Amino acid sequence: MVPFDDHSWMRRAIELARRCPPAAGAYSVGAVIVGADGSEIASGYSREVDDAVHAEESALAKIPVDDPRLATATIYSTLEPCSQRRSRPRTCAQLILAAGIPRVVIAWREPSLFVADCQGFELLTAAGVTVVELPDLADQARAVNAHLAL
Ligand SMILES: [Zn+2]
């Protein structure tokens, strides 16, 4: 796999999303953190370790926040990182910024289902993070969420 084959990594994130225990009130999301050398650093998915954990949060929790690889890493998330949440004090957008990850790749923008207007994309971009959207994989990322009334 070449270092930044975004579609291949996103397909891996979508595979991870399929492992999420379905929840009526939450998205099923997968996330993979990939280093500049093209190797996987960590991965996660929604509700992997508890009922409230988000995919990006679960992946980030597996590595020290000062891991030097994060400064040049890319995080793939099947859904736009959240900018508002009730379950935890910090959003995934904040966690990604705190980790210093400079590049985020998403497949699907958060629909206005639980949060009226997710600002994850805008917050990250405003903070200088490169956010790449892969709209051709949005349908697959969304299909994992067939349990929700979308
Ligand atoms: Zn989140």
PDB file of all heavy atoms in Angstrom, residues 31-33 55-57 59-60 65 70-71 73-77 79-82 90-106 120-121 123-125 127 129-131:
ATOM      1  N   ALA A  31     -12.091   4.654  12.368  1.00  0.00           N
ATOM      2  CA  ALA A  31     -11.000   5.615  12.211  1.00  0.00           C
ATOM      3  C   ALA A  31      -9.661   4.885  12.204  1.00  0.00           C
ATOM      4  O   ALA A  31      -9.486   3.898  12.921  1.00  0.00           O
ATOM      5  CB  ALA A  31     -11.026   6.639  13.348  1.00  0.00           C
ATOM      6  N   VAL A  32      -8.743   5.376  11.388  1.00  0.00           N
ATOM      7  CA  VAL A  32      -7.392   4.823  11.321  1.00  0.00           C
ATOM      8  C   VAL A  32      -6.406   5.984  11.311  1.00  0.00           C
ATOM      9  O   VAL A  32      -6.603   6.958  10.580  1.00  0.00           O
ATOM     10  CB  VAL A  32      -7.158   3.992  10.037  1.00  0.00           C
ATOM     11  CG1 VAL A  32      -5.833   3.238  10.132  1.00  0.00           C
ATOM     12  CG2 VAL A  32      -8.291   3.017   9.783  1.00  0.00           C
ATOM     13  N   ILE A  33      -5.357   5.872  12.121  1.00  0.00           N
ATOM     14  CA  ILE A  33      -4.291   6.874  12.126  1.00  0.00           C
ATOM     15  C   ILE A  33      -3.095   6.251  11.403  1.00  0.00           C
ATOM     16  O   ILE A  33      -2.658   5.150  11.760  1.00  0.00           O
ATOM     17  CB  ILE A  33      -3.912   7.284  13.564  1.00  0.00           C
ATOM     18  CG1 ILE A  33      -5.140   7.827  14.303  1.00  0.00           C
ATOM     19  CG2 ILE A  33      -2.788   8.326  13.544  1.00  0.00           C
ATOM     20  CD1 ILE A  33      -4.926   8.003  15.807  1.00  0.00           C
ATOM     21  N   ALA A  55     -14.932   6.841  17.437  1.00  0.00           N
ATOM     22  CA  ALA A  55     -13.885   6.118  16.710  1.00  0.00           C
ATOM     23  C   ALA A  55     -12.530   6.825  16.797  1.00  0.00           C
ATOM     24  O   ALA A  55     -11.511   6.193  17.087  1.00  0.00           O
ATOM     25  CB  ALA A  55     -14.306   5.972  15.245  1.00  0.00           C
ATOM     26  N   GLU A  56     -12.530   8.124  16.540  1.00  0.00           N
ATOM     27  CA  GLU A  56     -11.265   8.866  16.534  1.00  0.00           C
ATOM     28  C   GLU A  56     -10.656   8.864  17.937  1.00  0.00           C
ATOM     29  O   GLU A  56      -9.443   8.731  18.113  1.00  0.00           O
ATOM     30  CB  GLU A  56     -11.482  10.326  16.106  1.00  0.00           C
ATOM     31  CG  GLU A  56     -12.192  10.518  14.776  1.00  0.00           C
ATOM     32  CD  GLU A  56     -13.705  10.678  14.928  1.00  0.00           C
ATOM     33  OE1 GLU A  56     -14.351   9.877  15.636  1.00  0.00           O
ATOM     34  OE2 GLU A  56     -14.232  11.628  14.322  1.00  0.00           O
ATOM     35  N   GLU A  57     -11.536   9.028  18.929  1.00  0.00           N
ATOM     36  CA  GLU A  57     -11.113   9.051  20.329  1.00  0.00           C
ATOM     37  C   GLU A  57     -10.505   7.703  20.721  1.00  0.00           C
ATOM     38  O   GLU A  57      -9.468   7.636  21.391  1.00  0.00           O
ATOM     39  CB  GLU A  57     -12.361   9.324  21.166  1.00  0.00           C
ATOM     40  CG  GLU A  57     -12.152   9.406  22.636  1.00  0.00           C
ATOM     41  CD  GLU A  57     -13.488   9.639  23.354  1.00  0.00           C
ATOM     42  OE1 GLU A  57     -14.549   9.232  22.857  1.00  0.00           O
ATOM     43  OE2 GLU A  57     -13.425  10.231  24.439  1.00  0.00           O
ATOM     44  N   ALA A  59      -9.130   5.464  18.756  1.00  0.00           N
ATOM     45  CA  ALA A  59      -7.824   5.290  18.088  1.00  0.00           C
ATOM     46  C   ALA A  59      -6.753   6.124  18.790  1.00  0.00           C
ATOM     47  O   ALA A  59      -5.660   5.631  19.081  1.00  0.00           O
ATOM     48  CB  ALA A  59      -7.933   5.687  16.618  1.00  0.00           C
ATOM     49  N   LEU A  60      -7.079   7.379  19.092  1.00  0.00           N
ATOM     50  CA  LEU A  60      -6.100   8.272  19.728  1.00  0.00           C
ATOM     51  C   LEU A  60      -5.721   7.792  21.125  1.00  0.00           C
ATOM     52  O   LEU A  60      -4.594   7.985  21.571  1.00  0.00           O
ATOM     53  CB  LEU A  60      -6.647   9.703  19.796  1.00  0.00           C
ATOM     54  CG  LEU A  60      -6.609  10.468  18.470  1.00  0.00           C
ATOM     55  CD1 LEU A  60      -7.477  11.713  18.541  1.00  0.00           C
ATOM     56  CD2 LEU A  60      -5.176  10.849  18.120  1.00  0.00           C
ATOM     57  N   VAL A  65      -0.151  10.886  23.628  1.00  0.00           N
ATOM     58  CA  VAL A  65      -0.471  12.126  22.924  1.00  0.00           C
ATOM     59  C   VAL A  65       0.798  12.809  22.405  1.00  0.00           C
ATOM     60  O   VAL A  65       0.738  13.614  21.484  1.00  0.00           O
ATOM     61  CB  VAL A  65      -1.328  13.055  23.821  1.00  0.00           C
ATOM     62  CG1 VAL A  65      -0.492  13.695  24.909  1.00  0.00           C
ATOM     63  CG2 VAL A  65      -2.076  14.088  23.006  1.00  0.00           C
ATOM     64  N   LEU A  70       2.655  11.524  15.358  1.00  0.00           N
ATOM     65  CA  LEU A  70       1.383  12.226  15.160  1.00  0.00           C
ATOM     66  C   LEU A  70       1.568  13.530  14.381  1.00  0.00           C
ATOM     67  O   LEU A  70       0.670  13.962  13.661  1.00  0.00           O
ATOM     68  CB  LEU A  70       0.720  12.515  16.509  1.00  0.00           C
ATOM     69  CG  LEU A  70       0.189  11.278  17.242  1.00  0.00           C
ATOM     70  CD1 LEU A  70      -0.228  11.651  18.650  1.00  0.00           C
ATOM     71  CD2 LEU A  70      -0.976  10.657  16.483  1.00  0.00           C
ATOM     72  N   ALA A  71       2.729  14.150  14.515  1.00  0.00           N
ATOM     73  CA  ALA A  71       2.976  15.455  13.877  1.00  0.00           C
ATOM     74  C   ALA A  71       2.957  15.385  12.365  1.00  0.00           C
ATOM     75  O   ALA A  71       2.828  16.415  11.691  1.00  0.00           O
ATOM     76  CB  ALA A  71       4.310  16.023  14.361  1.00  0.00           C
ATOM     77  N   ALA A  73       1.135  12.652  10.831  1.00  0.00           N
ATOM     78  CA  ALA A  73       0.176  11.583  10.551  1.00  0.00           C
ATOM     79  C   ALA A  73      -1.066  12.096   9.828  1.00  0.00           C
ATOM     80  O   ALA A  73      -1.320  13.297   9.732  1.00  0.00           O
ATOM     81  CB  ALA A  73      -0.235  10.921  11.866  1.00  0.00           C
ATOM     82  N   THR A  74      -1.818  11.140   9.324  1.00  0.00           N
ATOM     83  CA  THR A  74      -3.148  11.412   8.774  1.00  0.00           C
ATOM     84  C   THR A  74      -4.137  10.569   9.559  1.00  0.00           C
ATOM     85  O   THR A  74      -3.851   9.397   9.863  1.00  0.00           O
ATOM     86  CB  THR A  74      -3.218  11.010   7.288  1.00  0.00           C
ATOM     87  OG1 THR A  74      -2.342  11.853   6.540  1.00  0.00           O
ATOM     88  CG2 THR A  74      -4.638  11.166   6.736  1.00  0.00           C
ATOM     89  N   ILE A  75      -5.282  11.145   9.931  1.00  0.00           N
ATOM     90  CA  ILE A  75      -6.346  10.342  10.535  1.00  0.00           C
ATOM     91  C   ILE A  75      -7.488  10.219   9.529  1.00  0.00           C
ATOM     92  O   ILE A  75      -7.941  11.218   8.971  1.00  0.00           O
ATOM     93  CB  ILE A  75      -6.808  10.878  11.910  1.00  0.00           C
ATOM     94  CG1 ILE A  75      -7.848   9.933  12.534  1.00  0.00           C
ATOM     95  CG2 ILE A  75      -7.321  12.308  11.843  1.00  0.00           C
ATOM     96  CD1 ILE A  75      -8.098  10.174  14.024  1.00  0.00           C
ATOM     97  N   TYR A  76      -7.862   8.984   9.284  1.00  0.00           N
ATOM     98  CA  TYR A  76      -9.003   8.688   8.420  1.00  0.00           C
ATOM     99  C   TYR A  76     -10.196   8.416   9.302  1.00  0.00           C
ATOM    100  O   TYR A  76     -10.119   7.590  10.217  1.00  0.00           O
ATOM    101  CB  TYR A  76      -8.713   7.437   7.562  1.00  0.00           C
ATOM    102  CG  TYR A  76      -7.583   7.672   6.597  1.00  0.00           C
ATOM    103  CD1 TYR A  76      -6.261   7.513   6.991  1.00  0.00           C
ATOM    104  CD2 TYR A  76      -7.840   8.096   5.305  1.00  0.00           C
ATOM    105  CE1 TYR A  76      -5.223   7.773   6.118  1.00  0.00           C
ATOM    106  CE2 TYR A  76      -6.803   8.353   4.421  1.00  0.00           C
ATOM    107  CZ  TYR A  76      -5.497   8.189   4.831  1.00  0.00           C
ATOM    108  OH  TYR A  76      -4.474   8.464   3.965  1.00  0.00           O
ATOM    109  N   SER A  77     -11.287   9.108   9.046  1.00  0.00           N
ATOM    110  CA  SER A  77     -12.511   8.854   9.788  1.00  0.00           C
ATOM    111  C   SER A  77     -13.657   8.768   8.797  1.00  0.00           C
ATOM    112  O   SER A  77     -13.763   9.600   7.893  1.00  0.00           O
ATOM    113  CB  SER A  77     -12.769   9.965  10.808  1.00  0.00           C
ATOM    114  OG  SER A  77     -13.980   9.697  11.506  1.00  0.00           O
ATOM    115  N   LEU A  79     -16.633   9.416   9.259  1.00  0.00           N
ATOM    116  CA  LEU A  79     -17.557  10.534   9.491  1.00  0.00           C
ATOM    117  C   LEU A  79     -16.751  11.760   9.918  1.00  0.00           C
ATOM    118  O   LEU A  79     -15.722  11.644  10.582  1.00  0.00           O
ATOM    119  CB  LEU A  79     -18.551  10.157  10.599  1.00  0.00           C
ATOM    120  CG  LEU A  79     -19.584  11.197  11.014  1.00  0.00           C
ATOM    121  CD1 LEU A  79     -20.592  11.459   9.890  1.00  0.00           C
ATOM    122  CD2 LEU A  79     -20.352  10.730  12.253  1.00  0.00           C
ATOM    123  N   GLU A  80     -17.256  12.912   9.540  1.00  0.00           N
ATOM    124  CA  GLU A  80     -16.659  14.186   9.980  1.00  0.00           C
ATOM    125  C   GLU A  80     -16.468  14.167  11.498  1.00  0.00           C
ATOM    126  O   GLU A  80     -17.394  13.837  12.240  1.00  0.00           O
ATOM    127  CB  GLU A  80     -17.641  15.294   9.582  1.00  0.00           C
ATOM    128  CG  GLU A  80     -17.251  16.678   9.995  1.00  0.00           C
ATOM    129  CD  GLU A  80     -18.285  17.704   9.522  1.00  0.00           C
ATOM    130  OE1 GLU A  80     -19.340  17.309   8.978  1.00  0.00           O
ATOM    131  OE2 GLU A  80     -18.019  18.900   9.701  1.00  0.00           O
ATOM    132  N   PRO A  81     -15.287  14.522  12.003  1.00  0.00           N
ATOM    133  CA  PRO A  81     -15.093  14.539  13.460  1.00  0.00           C
ATOM    134  C   PRO A  81     -16.083  15.485  14.145  1.00  0.00           C
ATOM    135  O   PRO A  81     -16.379  16.564  13.638  1.00  0.00           O
ATOM    136  CB  PRO A  81     -13.649  15.035  13.621  1.00  0.00           C
ATOM    137  CG  PRO A  81     -12.985  14.651  12.335  1.00  0.00           C
ATOM    138  CD  PRO A  81     -14.044  14.817  11.276  1.00  0.00           C
ATOM    139  N   CYS A  82     -16.577  15.058  15.294  1.00  0.00           N
ATOM    140  CA  CYS A  82     -17.626  15.834  15.961  1.00  0.00           C
ATOM    141  C   CYS A  82     -17.091  17.141  16.521  1.00  0.00           C
ATOM    142  O   CYS A  82     -15.922  17.266  16.883  1.00  0.00           O
ATOM    143  CB  CYS A  82     -18.283  15.010  17.067  1.00  0.00           C
ATOM    144  SG  CYS A  82     -17.190  14.548  18.425  1.00  0.00           S
ATOM    145  N   ARG A  90     -14.423  16.539  25.756  1.00  0.00           N
ATOM    146  CA  ARG A  90     -13.710  16.980  24.566  1.00  0.00           C
ATOM    147  C   ARG A  90     -14.241  16.308  23.305  1.00  0.00           C
ATOM    148  O   ARG A  90     -14.480  15.106  23.274  1.00  0.00           O
ATOM    149  CB  ARG A  90     -12.207  16.708  24.699  1.00  0.00           C
ATOM    150  CG  ARG A  90     -11.585  17.596  25.778  1.00  0.00           C
ATOM    151  CD  ARG A  90     -10.140  17.908  25.487  1.00  0.00           C
ATOM    152  NE  ARG A  90      -9.311  16.721  25.617  1.00  0.00           N
ATOM    153  CZ  ARG A  90      -8.000  16.722  25.337  1.00  0.00           C
ATOM    154  NH1 ARG A  90      -7.403  17.805  24.904  1.00  0.00           N
ATOM    155  NH2 ARG A  90      -7.299  15.630  25.491  1.00  0.00           N
ATOM    156  N   THR A  91     -14.389  17.118  22.270  1.00  0.00           N
ATOM    157  CA  THR A  91     -14.885  16.594  20.993  1.00  0.00           C
ATOM    158  C   THR A  91     -13.729  15.956  20.229  1.00  0.00           C
ATOM    159  O   THR A  91     -12.554  16.201  20.521  1.00  0.00           O
ATOM    160  CB  THR A  91     -15.471  17.727  20.142  1.00  0.00           C
ATOM    161  OG1 THR A  91     -14.407  18.629  19.796  1.00  0.00           O
ATOM    162  CG2 THR A  91     -16.561  18.469  20.886  1.00  0.00           C
ATOM    163  N   CYS A  92     -14.073  15.209  19.201  1.00  0.00           N
ATOM    164  CA  CYS A  92     -13.021  14.600  18.381  1.00  0.00           C
ATOM    165  C   CYS A  92     -12.217  15.656  17.642  1.00  0.00           C
ATOM    166  O   CYS A  92     -11.012  15.505  17.456  1.00  0.00           O
ATOM    167  CB  CYS A  92     -13.621  13.578  17.423  1.00  0.00           C
ATOM    168  SG  CYS A  92     -14.237  12.133  18.310  1.00  0.00           S
ATOM    169  N   ALA A  93     -12.867  16.740  17.228  1.00  0.00           N
ATOM    170  CA  ALA A  93     -12.108  17.825  16.588  1.00  0.00           C
ATOM    171  C   ALA A  93     -11.060  18.364  17.563  1.00  0.00           C
ATOM    172  O   ALA A  93      -9.897  18.568  17.191  1.00  0.00           O
ATOM    173  CB  ALA A  93     -13.047  18.935  16.127  1.00  0.00           C
ATOM    174  N   GLN A  94     -11.436  18.550  18.815  1.00  0.00           N
ATOM    175  CA  GLN A  94     -10.476  19.031  19.822  1.00  0.00           C
ATOM    176  C   GLN A  94      -9.368  18.008  20.069  1.00  0.00           C
ATOM    177  O   GLN A  94      -8.199  18.364  20.234  1.00  0.00           O
ATOM    178  CB  GLN A  94     -11.192  19.321  21.141  1.00  0.00           C
ATOM    179  CG  GLN A  94     -12.052  20.570  21.097  1.00  0.00           C
ATOM    180  CD  GLN A  94     -12.888  20.732  22.365  1.00  0.00           C
ATOM    181  OE1 GLN A  94     -13.375  19.743  22.925  1.00  0.00           O
ATOM    182  NE2 GLN A  94     -13.065  21.954  22.803  1.00  0.00           N
ATOM    183  N   LEU A  95      -9.742  16.746  20.134  1.00  0.00           N
ATOM    184  CA  LEU A  95      -8.748  15.694  20.387  1.00  0.00           C
ATOM    185  C   LEU A  95      -7.730  15.618  19.244  1.00  0.00           C
ATOM    186  O   LEU A  95      -6.530  15.418  19.489  1.00  0.00           O
ATOM    187  CB  LEU A  95      -9.442  14.336  20.564  1.00  0.00           C
ATOM    188  CG  LEU A  95     -10.300  14.192  21.828  1.00  0.00           C
ATOM    189  CD1 LEU A  95     -11.140  12.915  21.756  1.00  0.00           C
ATOM    190  CD2 LEU A  95      -9.428  14.173  23.080  1.00  0.00           C
ATOM    191  N   ILE A  96      -8.205  15.775  18.020  1.00  0.00           N
ATOM    192  CA  ILE A  96      -7.309  15.728  16.861  1.00  0.00           C
ATOM    193  C   ILE A  96      -6.357  16.924  16.900  1.00  0.00           C
ATOM    194  O   ILE A  96      -5.157  16.791  16.663  1.00  0.00           O
ATOM    195  CB  ILE A  96      -8.126  15.684  15.552  1.00  0.00           C
ATOM    196  CG1 ILE A  96      -8.810  14.311  15.428  1.00  0.00           C
ATOM    197  CG2 ILE A  96      -7.245  15.974  14.335  1.00  0.00           C
ATOM    198  CD1 ILE A  96      -9.898  14.248  14.364  1.00  0.00           C
ATOM    199  N   LEU A  97      -6.887  18.091  17.249  1.00  0.00           N
ATOM    200  CA  LEU A  97      -6.037  19.289  17.356  1.00  0.00           C
ATOM    201  C   LEU A  97      -5.019  19.120  18.478  1.00  0.00           C
ATOM    202  O   LEU A  97      -3.844  19.441  18.315  1.00  0.00           O
ATOM    203  CB  LEU A  97      -6.894  20.534  17.599  1.00  0.00           C
ATOM    204  CG  LEU A  97      -7.761  20.965  16.418  1.00  0.00           C
ATOM    205  CD1 LEU A  97      -8.628  22.153  16.811  1.00  0.00           C
ATOM    206  CD2 LEU A  97      -6.906  21.304  15.206  1.00  0.00           C
ATOM    207  N   ALA A  98      -5.456  18.575  19.605  1.00  0.00           N
ATOM    208  CA  ALA A  98      -4.545  18.375  20.746  1.00  0.00           C
ATOM    209  C   ALA A  98      -3.431  17.398  20.381  1.00  0.00           C
ATOM    210  O   ALA A  98      -2.304  17.515  20.866  1.00  0.00           O
ATOM    211  CB  ALA A  98      -5.329  17.881  21.960  1.00  0.00           C
ATOM    212  N   ALA A  99      -3.752  16.436  19.542  1.00  0.00           N
ATOM    213  CA  ALA A  99      -2.757  15.443  19.134  1.00  0.00           C
ATOM    214  C   ALA A  99      -1.795  16.000  18.083  1.00  0.00           C
ATOM    215  O   ALA A  99      -0.757  15.406  17.806  1.00  0.00           O
ATOM    216  CB  ALA A  99      -3.458  14.198  18.587  1.00  0.00           C
ATOM    217  N   GLY A 100      -2.158  17.140  17.480  1.00  0.00           N
ATOM    218  CA  GLY A 100      -1.291  17.766  16.491  1.00  0.00           C
ATOM    219  C   GLY A 100      -1.275  17.063  15.144  1.00  0.00           C
ATOM    220  O   GLY A 100      -0.329  17.201  14.368  1.00  0.00           O
ATOM    221  N   ILE A 101      -2.316  16.311  14.858  1.00  0.00           N
ATOM    222  CA  ILE A 101      -2.388  15.620  13.561  1.00  0.00           C
ATOM    223  C   ILE A 101      -2.705  16.647  12.473  1.00  0.00           C
ATOM    224  O   ILE A 101      -3.695  17.370  12.581  1.00  0.00           O
ATOM    225  CB  ILE A 101      -3.468  14.514  13.595  1.00  0.00           C
ATOM    226  CG1 ILE A 101      -3.061  13.430  14.596  1.00  0.00           C
ATOM    227  CG2 ILE A 101      -3.691  13.929  12.202  1.00  0.00           C
ATOM    228  CD1 ILE A 101      -4.092  12.327  14.766  1.00  0.00           C
ATOM    229  N   PRO A 102      -1.857  16.730  11.437  1.00  0.00           N
ATOM    230  CA  PRO A 102      -2.036  17.811  10.468  1.00  0.00           C
ATOM    231  C   PRO A 102      -2.987  17.527   9.315  1.00  0.00           C
ATOM    232  O   PRO A 102      -3.301  18.424   8.532  1.00  0.00           O
ATOM    233  CB  PRO A 102      -0.611  18.000   9.917  1.00  0.00           C
ATOM    234  CG  PRO A 102      -0.004  16.632  10.006  1.00  0.00           C
ATOM    235  CD  PRO A 102      -0.604  15.989  11.234  1.00  0.00           C
ATOM    236  N   ARG A 103      -3.443  16.276   9.199  1.00  0.00           N
ATOM    237  CA  ARG A 103      -4.254  15.938   8.024  1.00  0.00           C
ATOM    238  C   ARG A 103      -5.373  14.982   8.423  1.00  0.00           C
ATOM    239  O   ARG A 103      -5.126  13.992   9.120  1.00  0.00           O
ATOM    240  CB  ARG A 103      -3.356  15.298   6.966  1.00  0.00           C
ATOM    241  CG  ARG A 103      -4.018  15.059   5.624  1.00  0.00           C
ATOM    242  CD  ARG A 103      -2.956  14.708   4.573  1.00  0.00           C
ATOM    243  NE  ARG A 103      -3.567  14.540   3.272  1.00  0.00           N
ATOM    244  CZ  ARG A 103      -3.968  13.348   2.796  1.00  0.00           C
ATOM    245  NH1 ARG A 103      -3.798  12.250   3.487  1.00  0.00           N
ATOM    246  NH2 ARG A 103      -4.537  13.281   1.606  1.00  0.00           N
ATOM    247  N   VAL A 104      -6.579  15.331   7.985  1.00  0.00           N
ATOM    248  CA  VAL A 104      -7.764  14.538   8.304  1.00  0.00           C
ATOM    249  C   VAL A 104      -8.457  14.192   6.993  1.00  0.00           C
ATOM    250  O   VAL A 104      -8.649  15.068   6.142  1.00  0.00           O
ATOM    251  CB  VAL A 104      -8.736  15.342   9.210  1.00  0.00           C
ATOM    252  CG1 VAL A 104     -10.004  14.540   9.500  1.00  0.00           C
ATOM    253  CG2 VAL A 104      -8.054  15.742  10.523  1.00  0.00           C
ATOM    254  N   VAL A 105      -8.810  12.926   6.835  1.00  0.00           N
ATOM    255  CA  VAL A 105      -9.548  12.497   5.642  1.00  0.00           C
ATOM    256  C   VAL A 105     -10.879  11.919   6.097  1.00  0.00           C
ATOM    257  O   VAL A 105     -10.917  11.047   6.977  1.00  0.00           O
ATOM    258  CB  VAL A 105      -8.751  11.458   4.819  1.00  0.00           C
ATOM    259  CG1 VAL A 105      -9.544  11.035   3.578  1.00  0.00           C
ATOM    260  CG2 VAL A 105      -7.390  12.013   4.408  1.00  0.00           C
ATOM    261  N   ILE A 106     -11.950  12.428   5.522  1.00  0.00           N
ATOM    262  CA  ILE A 106     -13.289  11.959   5.895  1.00  0.00           C
ATOM    263  C   ILE A 106     -14.042  11.496   4.643  1.00  0.00           C
ATOM    264  O   ILE A 106     -13.713  11.898   3.528  1.00  0.00           O
ATOM    265  CB  ILE A 106     -14.114  13.061   6.610  1.00  0.00           C
ATOM    266  CG1 ILE A 106     -14.356  14.275   5.686  1.00  0.00           C
ATOM    267  CG2 ILE A 106     -13.420  13.513   7.894  1.00  0.00           C
ATOM    268  CD1 ILE A 106     -15.349  15.300   6.234  1.00  0.00           C
ATOM    269  N   GLY A 120     -17.160  20.297  12.657  1.00  0.00           N
ATOM    270  CA  GLY A 120     -15.853  19.644  12.716  1.00  0.00           C
ATOM    271  C   GLY A 120     -14.944  20.028  11.561  1.00  0.00           C
ATOM    272  O   GLY A 120     -13.782  20.389  11.758  1.00  0.00           O
ATOM    273  N   PHE A 121     -15.483  19.955  10.364  1.00  0.00           N
ATOM    274  CA  PHE A 121     -14.714  20.297   9.162  1.00  0.00           C
ATOM    275  C   PHE A 121     -14.189  21.729   9.269  1.00  0.00           C
ATOM    276  O   PHE A 121     -13.005  21.992   9.077  1.00  0.00           O
ATOM    277  CB  PHE A 121     -15.633  20.130   7.942  1.00  0.00           C
ATOM    278  CG  PHE A 121     -14.936  20.216   6.602  1.00  0.00           C
ATOM    279  CD1 PHE A 121     -14.741  19.075   5.840  1.00  0.00           C
ATOM    280  CD2 PHE A 121     -14.507  21.434   6.106  1.00  0.00           C
ATOM    281  CE1 PHE A 121     -14.106  19.151   4.604  1.00  0.00           C
ATOM    282  CE2 PHE A 121     -13.877  21.509   4.880  1.00  0.00           C
ATOM    283  CZ  PHE A 121     -13.676  20.373   4.127  1.00  0.00           C
ATOM    284  N   LEU A 123     -13.928  23.740  11.950  1.00  0.00           N
ATOM    285  CA  LEU A 123     -13.012  23.976  13.081  1.00  0.00           C
ATOM    286  C   LEU A 123     -11.604  23.514  12.751  1.00  0.00           C
ATOM    287  O   LEU A 123     -10.624  24.197  13.033  1.00  0.00           O
ATOM    288  CB  LEU A 123     -13.500  23.205  14.313  1.00  0.00           C
ATOM    289  CG  LEU A 123     -14.629  23.820  15.127  1.00  0.00           C
ATOM    290  CD1 LEU A 123     -15.083  22.840  16.196  1.00  0.00           C
ATOM    291  CD2 LEU A 123     -14.142  25.116  15.774  1.00  0.00           C
ATOM    292  N   LEU A 124     -11.517  22.336  12.173  1.00  0.00           N
ATOM    293  CA  LEU A 124     -10.201  21.781  11.855  1.00  0.00           C
ATOM    294  C   LEU A 124      -9.514  22.614  10.782  1.00  0.00           C
ATOM    295  O   LEU A 124      -8.331  22.939  10.897  1.00  0.00           O
ATOM    296  CB  LEU A 124     -10.350  20.326  11.394  1.00  0.00           C
ATOM    297  CG  LEU A 124     -10.742  19.346  12.509  1.00  0.00           C
ATOM    298  CD1 LEU A 124     -11.236  18.028  11.911  1.00  0.00           C
ATOM    299  CD2 LEU A 124      -9.588  19.102  13.461  1.00  0.00           C
ATOM    300  N   THR A 125     -10.261  22.974   9.759  1.00  0.00           N
ATOM    301  CA  THR A 125      -9.693  23.778   8.681  1.00  0.00           C
ATOM    302  C   THR A 125      -9.215  25.127   9.213  1.00  0.00           C
ATOM    303  O   THR A 125      -8.116  25.588   8.879  1.00  0.00           O
ATOM    304  CB  THR A 125     -10.749  23.981   7.564  1.00  0.00           C
ATOM    305  OG1 THR A 125     -11.164  22.685   7.125  1.00  0.00           O
ATOM    306  CG2 THR A 125     -10.183  24.738   6.391  1.00  0.00           C
ATOM    307  N   ALA A 127      -8.146  25.774  12.057  1.00  0.00           N
ATOM    308  CA  ALA A 127      -6.952  25.591  12.889  1.00  0.00           C
ATOM    309  C   ALA A 127      -5.731  25.203  12.059  1.00  0.00           C
ATOM    310  O   ALA A 127      -4.668  24.935  12.608  1.00  0.00           O
ATOM    311  CB  ALA A 127      -7.233  24.526  13.946  1.00  0.00           C
ATOM    312  N   VAL A 129      -5.540  22.591   9.858  1.00  0.00           N
ATOM    313  CA  VAL A 129      -5.482  21.174   9.496  1.00  0.00           C
ATOM    314  C   VAL A 129      -5.992  21.024   8.058  1.00  0.00           C
ATOM    315  O   VAL A 129      -6.956  21.680   7.663  1.00  0.00           O
ATOM    316  CB  VAL A 129      -6.355  20.345  10.462  1.00  0.00           C
ATOM    317  CG1 VAL A 129      -6.473  18.894  10.003  1.00  0.00           C
ATOM    318  CG2 VAL A 129      -5.799  20.431  11.881  1.00  0.00           C
ATOM    319  N   THR A 130      -5.319  20.186   7.299  1.00  0.00           N
ATOM    320  CA  THR A 130      -5.796  19.879   5.945  1.00  0.00           C
ATOM    321  C   THR A 130      -6.901  18.841   6.058  1.00  0.00           C
ATOM    322  O   THR A 130      -6.688  17.764   6.614  1.00  0.00           O
ATOM    323  CB  THR A 130      -4.637  19.307   5.098  1.00  0.00           C
ATOM    324  OG1 THR A 130      -3.598  20.278   5.050  1.00  0.00           O
ATOM    325  CG2 THR A 130      -5.100  18.972   3.691  1.00  0.00           C
ATOM    326  N   VAL A 131      -8.078  19.174   5.580  1.00  0.00           N
ATOM    327  CA  VAL A 131      -9.192  18.222   5.626  1.00  0.00           C
ATOM    328  C   VAL A 131      -9.566  17.840   4.200  1.00  0.00           C
ATOM    329  O   VAL A 131      -9.848  18.708   3.371  1.00  0.00           O
ATOM    330  CB  VAL A 131     -10.417  18.798   6.363  1.00  0.00           C
ATOM    331  CG1 VAL A 131     -11.500  17.724   6.502  1.00  0.00           C
ATOM    332  CG2 VAL A 131     -10.027  19.320   7.748  1.00  0.00           C
TER     333      VAL A 131
END
